[in-house]
Amino acid sequence: MTKLLPSPFSSLLAVVFISLISIVHCCSPKDQTALNAFKSSLNEPNLGIFNTWSENTDCCKGWYGISCDPDSGRVTDISLRGESEDAIFQKAGRSGYMTGSIDPAVCDLTALSSFVLADWKGISGEIPTCITSLASLRVIDLAGNKITGEIPAEIGKLTKLAVLNLAENRMSGEIPPSLTSLAELKHLELTENGISGEIPADFGSLKMLSRALLGRNELAGSIPGSISGMKRLADLDLSRNHIEGPIPEWMGNMKVLSVLNLDSNSLTGPIPGSILSNSGFGVLNLSRNALEGSIPDVFGSTTYLMSLDLSHNNLSGRIPDSLSSAKFVGHLDISHNRLCGPIPMGSPFDHLEASSFSDNECLCGGPLMKTC
């Protein structure tokens, strides 16, 4: 059989095809330049996080924390966490520490969908306002740093954003009005900053939101009524702010809400019976407010509370007998109120310590060692 030799044309096609494959999988030169500028504004002295970020290598091949689209070669993910179980942290036996700031060059990464630069403890400066031009962003996680300034006013332009985590920084200003137009947002965490002003009245427009963690800020005003329409909200934390007014009755009618932290505010009025009768709640913290009246006697056999904290209020009357019928109550604290009468017998009272009932007007029995 005659052996066919490859023609010069077919050899040329093979070379072109191989070259095209190489080009498709190479990092975009524009993105590589942007990443180098991003790196130059940061200093990580201990772990060598940026050792793989060499100007002579392809940023899509082996650069720590960088992922690219395999077809276009565009950078899609920056994932740099200062607390990780990655081998580089295990070998060093320590968490990360990084200083510097976020260079606006990150905004040249126009295909970026995830931007994680979290838990480095020392990154400061402001979030570049141009970040709102990155239309593909789905995740922004800058928690655990020393970032200052305000949430970018045009954050609402990021229509695909699902996660916004700016917790444990030093940010200030108010929640921008545009934030409530983030129709895809599922996780919002602004905990432990200096964010002030009122929660936007149309906060309930965030229909996809399942976690809203706004605790330990300087927020004021009342709880917006629009939250009642958030059908997916499972975790709401407004603790350690300056929220005032009554706890709305409708909060007990939210079907998915299971964790509610409203402690350390200036809330007044009675505890709505709907909240304590809602068997969906697992964690309920209303402590350190100015709530008054009696504890509603509405517990039942479907009540399953991992934690119920009503301490440091002005609650009066007796401990509800129905609490004894609860299926489970893990932690209970009703100390520092004006409660009176005997502590009921049986579960959950038989496994609680005296500190759960201390500093009331005239409670007796149970672990208090005070006869009735």
Side-chain angles (χ1 to χ4, degrees):
M1 182 181 290
T2 305
K3 191 172 184 179
L4 296 175
L5 296 175
S7 69
F9 180 71
S10 63
S11 298
L12 178 61
L13 281 176
V15 170
V16 170
F17 182 69
I18 292 170
S19 299
L20 282 172
I21 292 175
S22 177
I23 290 171
V24 165
H25 288 281
C26 281
C27 176
S28 159
K30 181 181 178 182
D31 286 3
Q32 186 140 344
T33 299
L35 286 174
N36 283 322
F38 172 75
K39 178 185 75 170
S40 68
S41 295
L42 297 167
N43 178 41
E44 191 284 296
N46 301 319
L47 301 173
I49 290 293
F50 294 121
N51 288 351
T52 58
W53 289 37
S54 169
E55 293 186 18
N56 300 319
T57 59
D58 188 335
C59 74
C60 293
K61 299 177 180 177
W63 279 32
Y64 184 86
I66 299 300
S67 300
C68 299
D69 182 281
D71 297 321
S72 67
R74 298 299 308 277
V75 172
T76 56
D77 300 273
I78 297 176
S79 183
L80 299 173
R81 292 190 181 277
E83 295 180 3
S84 171
E85 295 183 0
D86 194 271
I88 194 170
F89 292 86
Q90 298 295 319
K91 184 177 180 180
R94 65 189 300 172
S95 61
Y97 181 75
M98 190 185 297
T99 58
S101 59
I102 302 171
D103 195 286
V106 75
C107 302
D108 292 332
L109 303 170
T110 53
L112 198 65
S113 65
S114 179
F115 181 30
V116 178
L117 188 65
D119 301 317
W120 291 102
K121 306 173 187 68
I123 297 173
S124 57
E126 300 187 3
I127 300 172
T129 56
C130 61
I131 202 169
T132 61
S133 67
L134 299 177
S136 296
L137 269 179
R138 297 181 182 275
V139 175
I140 298 176
D141 187 351
L142 306 176
N145 289 294
K146 295 181 180 177
I147 295 171
T148 55
E150 301 184 5
I151 301 170
E154 296 185 337
I155 192 78
K157 291 170 63 177
L158 299 175
T159 56
K160 296 181 180 180
L161 197 65
V163 175
L164 178 60
N165 188 352
L166 305 176
E168 298 177 24
N169 279 289
R170 299 178 179 179
M171 301 190 70
S172 57
E174 301 186 1
I175 297 173
S178 74
L179 187 143
T180 59
S181 64
L182 294 171
E184 297 298 316
L185 195 65
K186 296 178 176 65
H187 180 110
L188 174 63
E189 187 163 1
L190 306 177
T191 309
E192 202 168 329
N193 279 284
I195 295 170
S196 58
E198 298 188 2
I199 301 170
D202 61 344
F203 192 79
S205 299
L206 299 169
K207 300 296 185 185
M208 298 296 289
L209 200 64
S210 63
R211 302 189 77 200
L213 309 180
L214 311 180
R216 284 175 277 173
N217 279 288
E218 303 295 331
L219 295 168
S222 58
I223 299 171
S226 63
I227 291 178
S228 63
M230 301 175 75
K231 305 302 183 185
R232 297 173 183 259
L233 189 63
D235 188 347
L236 177 62
D237 183 0
L238 303 179
S239 64
R240 300 189 190 185
N241 279 288
H242 308 290
I243 308 297
E244 57 188 11
I247 299 174
E249 184 78 30
W250 51 256
M251 296 200 87
N253 300 323
M254 298 183 72
K255 302 298 184 184
V256 179
L257 191 61
S258 62
V259 177
L260 179 61
N261 289 305
L262 301 178
D263 60 283
S264 305
N265 280 289
S266 300
L267 296 167
T268 55
I271 299 173
S274 61
I275 286 182
L276 297 184
S277 64
N278 184 339
S279 59
F281 279 112
V283 175
L284 185 59
N285 190 345
L286 309 180
S287 66
R288 298 180 185 276
N289 281 287
L291 300 172
E292 56 191 9
S294 61
I295 300 173
D297 194 2
V298 291
F299 301 95
S301 60
T302 59
T303 301
Y304 195 100
L305 286 162
M306 290 179 285
S307 178
L308 174 62
D309 193 343
L310 307 178
S311 65
H312 294 270
N313 279 289
N314 295 317
L315 300 173
S316 57
R318 298 165 63 94
I319 298 174
D321 290 330
S322 62
L323 194 51
S324 298
S325 67
K327 184 175 183 180
F328 178 78
V329 178
H331 170 78
L332 174 67
D333 192 348
I334 52 177
S335 64
H336 298 273
N337 278 289
R338 297 165 48 206
L339 298 168
C340 271
I343 296 172
M345 303 288 287
S347 179
F349 305 102
D350 53 7
H351 72 264
L352 298 173
E353 298 182 359
S355 58
S356 294
F357 308 98
S358 64
D359 291 287
N360 274 283
E361 258 183 17
C362 49
L363 279 182
C364 56
L368 288 180
M369 305 297 290
K370 180 181 178 183
T371 58
C372 295

